[in-house]
Structure formats: structure tokens, C-alpha cells
Amino acid sequence: MGFTGFDLVIPILIVLVLLVLFTGIKTVPQGYNYTVERFGRYTRTLSPGLNLIVPFVDRVGAKMNMMEQVLDVPTQEIITRDNAIVAVDGVAFYQVLSAPQAAYQVAGLQNAILNLTMTNIRTVMGSMVLDELLSNRDAINERLLRVVDEAAHPWGIKVTRVEIKDINPPANLVDSMARQMMAERDKRAQILKAEGLKQSQILEAEGRREAAFRDAEARERSAEAEARATQVVSEAISKGDVQALNYFVAQKYTDALTRIGSAGNSKIVLMPLEASSLIGTLGGIGEIAKEVFGADAPGERPRHSSSRPPAVRSD
């Protein structure tokens, strides 16, 4: 049994149909977009899933990853505004929003984003002094993100984050910073100590002033009381009342004896006194009491005089 030409055409047609179907059917995975080119010109974008294109006329151009991607920024040396050399590295996160722009607006997308990020890191951090560089990392990240995202926008790229990972000054600079920090802390400690001493001296001076003021006030009141007593005695004497003078003298006399007797530099003190004058003084005190109370106090015992000079004993 021989084969005719028609029998050979049928398998060929079947193969051609399968080839056409295979060429025209495209499956796009999730997270990717494919661009379609017709005779080398972009026509449309294929979304994830099953898609059909015109066989032998259309072809898939670029396969773009639409997921957020991480780009490691290598270490580079930066000269700050105060001429300090630091080594800096970082990381950038970006996402393709427009597959045609990312495919046809820039060649070598990742390389372009990397160079753009490194250049802006040198620009931003080189305009700052070292202290600002070490203490304002959040501000640096925010400024880098704004600048890089604005520059990559025409490429259909959204830069989501730019982070500085490490800032490494030279070892000698780190030692200098440590010594400066210790000096600042010692300075603050000395200032606090001086402030404490100053407050202590101020409070002590205020305490002495208050004590002196109160002592002066007490002496003033004592002097006023003494002057008042003297005035009362003077008025009584001017009115002819000699007993008031006797009472005043006796009180002073008794106080003097008390001070002599309480002296710590002697044990026994013998003083010759005029007995009659002491009796007279005591009598004057009794007369004053009678005049005040009108009569002798109940149970008052008679006074006895002594001709012997009194002795003051201090044990």
C-alpha cells in the first residue's frame, strides 16, 4: 500500500497548526509582565495568565519582574563637609510600576538604579559634617529616598526605601571622638559639682544671715525689755517709791551672785558682804510684795538675818 502526497500533507499541516498554536499562546507567571513587539515595535503588555499573540508577527520583548526587589549598594568612601573620610554602604528597595517604561526608557535597569543611588549617597552625605552624619541617619534616608525616587520616576520605577546600613569612620577618628566624648562628660560633671557647691554655699550663707537676724532681733527685744524695766523703776523713783529701786538693785545683785556661783573655774567662793545692806534689800522686796498683794502671803515664815558673810559654793 503506497502513500500519496495527500497523506504527507496532512501530518505536515497538523505540525504547522501545533506550531502556530504554541507560538501564539503565551503563559505569563504571577508577578511578571511581558511586553509584546510587532516587527520590533512595542504594541502591548501581557498580564499574568494565558495570553494570545499573533504568531510569526508578534513576539515577547522584555520579561519584567513587577515584584519589589532589593538592590545591595556596595561600600564606598565619602568625604564629608569637614573633610572626614567615612566608608558607607546601604540597600535600596524598588518596584517596577510600568513594564514598557522600565524596558524601553533605560538600558540596564538595575545598574542604572545602583549608580543613581551611589551618586546621591555621595552628594547627600558629602554635604554634611561628620556629627550630623552619625546622628541624623533617618533624615539621610528620607532625603535619599526622595531624590532617588524622583530621578527614577521616568523609568516607571518606584523606589520604596533607601537605607544606610553602616557608617564606618577611620579608627583614629573613632578614638578622637571617644576622647572628645569623655572630655565633654568630665566637663559636665565638673559643672554640676560646681553648681552644687555654689548652691550649698548660698544656702549656708542664707542660714547664717537668718540666724544673725534672729539673734539681733532677740538682743533688740531683750534691750527693749531692759529699757522698759529701767523706765518703770525710774518712774517709780520719781514718784518717791524707793522700794522699787531696792527691788531692782536686789534683782541685779542676786543675778550677779548666781553667775559667780556657777563659774566653772572655782569650787568654793567666799565673799564678804554687808549683811545689813542685804537684809535691807530683802526687806525692800518684802515691802513691795506686801504692797502688791495687800498682806503677807499665807503661810509666810519669818525671815532670819545673819551676821556671817555668805558663802557661795560651787561643786
Side-chain angles (χ1 to χ4, degrees):
M1 181 177 178
F3 291 98
T4 62
F6 183 74
D7 295 332
L8 294 175
V9 171
I10 291 177
I12 293 173
L13 290 176
I14 293 174
V15 171
L16 289 175
V17 170
L18 292 176
L19 182 61
V20 169
L21 291 176
F22 180 77
T23 305
I25 297 175
K26 297 297 179 182
T27 302
V28 180
Q30 184 66 37
Y32 283 82
N33 280 354
Y34 292 174
T35 61
V36 177
E37 299 176 356
R38 178 170 296 174
F39 303 114
R41 181 182 179 184
Y42 167 77
T43 57
R44 62 193 179 96
T45 302
L46 302 181
S47 58
L50 185 64
N51 295 272
L52 298 176
I53 62 174
V54 179
F56 308 109
V57 176
D58 295 340
R59 71 179 185 89
V60 174
K63 298 179 179 180
M64 303 304 300
N65 187 349
M66 307 299 291
M67 295 179 287
E68 187 173 3
Q69 302 177 64
V70 182
L71 185 62
D72 188 36
V73 180
T75 302
Q76 59 178 332
E77 289 187 347
I78 296 173
I79 302 176
T80 61
R81 193 174 66 187
D82 53 351
N83 297 323
I85 301 176
V86 295
V88 179
D89 62 352
V91 61
F93 297 82
Y94 71 94
Q95 185 177 11
V96 177
L97 300 181
S98 175
Q101 288 180 291
Y104 302 113
Q105 294 292 333
V106 61
L109 178 62
Q110 286 193 350
N111 187 47
I113 297 175
L114 178 61
N115 282 276
L116 179 64
T117 304
M118 293 179 66
T119 302
N120 282 279
I121 286 176
R122 287 195 297 269
T123 302
V124 172
M125 301 182 71
S127 63
M128 306 172 69
V129 297
L130 182 60
D131 291 340
E132 295 176 348
L133 207 66
L134 298 175
S135 59
N136 296 328
R137 187 171 297 190
D138 292 338
I140 294 173
N141 293 335
E142 182 181 356
R143 185 175 173 185
L144 283 173
L145 175 61
R146 184 175 64 254
V147 173
V148 176
D149 181 52
E150 183 178 356
H153 181 72
W155 303 339
I157 302 298
K158 173 63 178 176
V159 179
T160 56
R161 288 189 298 276
V162 178
E163 301 287 342
I164 299 298
K165 291 194 297 184
D166 293 318
I167 301 176
N168 299 317
N172 57 352
L173 187 58
V174 174
D175 293 339
S176 300
M177 293 171 62
R179 290 194 298 269
Q180 181 182 1
M181 179 186 66
M182 291 300 297
E184 287 292 335
R185 291 189 176 182
D186 292 341
K187 177 182 176 182
R188 288 198 296 268
Q190 292 176 359
I191 291 175
L192 291 177
K193 183 178 179 180
E195 287 291 338
L197 181 61
K198 176 183 176 182
Q199 291 295 329
S200 176
Q201 292 175 350
I202 290 175
L203 292 177
E204 185 179 356
E206 290 180 352
R208 291 196 302 268
R209 184 181 67 177
E210 183 69 19
F213 175 77
R214 292 183 179 274
D215 289 342
E217 185 178 5
R219 289 194 301 269
E220 181 181 358
R221 292 184 179 179
S222 177
E224 289 178 355
E226 186 72 17
R228 178 61 181 169
T230 304
Q231 181 182 1
V232 170
V233 172
S234 299
E235 291 177 355
I237 293 173
S238 63
K239 294 177 180 179
D241 189 359
V242 183
Q243 299 299 331
L245 177 61
N246 293 334
Y247 174 77
F248 185 75
V249 172
Q251 183 181 10
K252 295 295 182 180
Y253 198 71
T254 306
D255 291 340
L257 290 177
T258 302
R259 287 193 297 271
I260 294 174
S262 61
N265 56 355
S266 63
K267 295 298 183 178
I268 299 175
V269 178
L270 298 176
M271 298 182 62
L273 299 175
E274 185 68 29
S276 60
S277 58
L278 178 61
I279 293 172
T281 303
L282 296 178
I285 296 174
E287 292 298 330
I288 294 174
K290 289 179 180 180
E291 292 179 3
V292 172
F293 296 103
D296 291 341
E300 182 181 3
R301 300 178 63 182
R303 301 177 182 86
H304 298 281
S305 61
S306 176
S307 60
R308 295 166 55 187
V312 179
R313 182 181 301 272
S314 175
D315 295 332

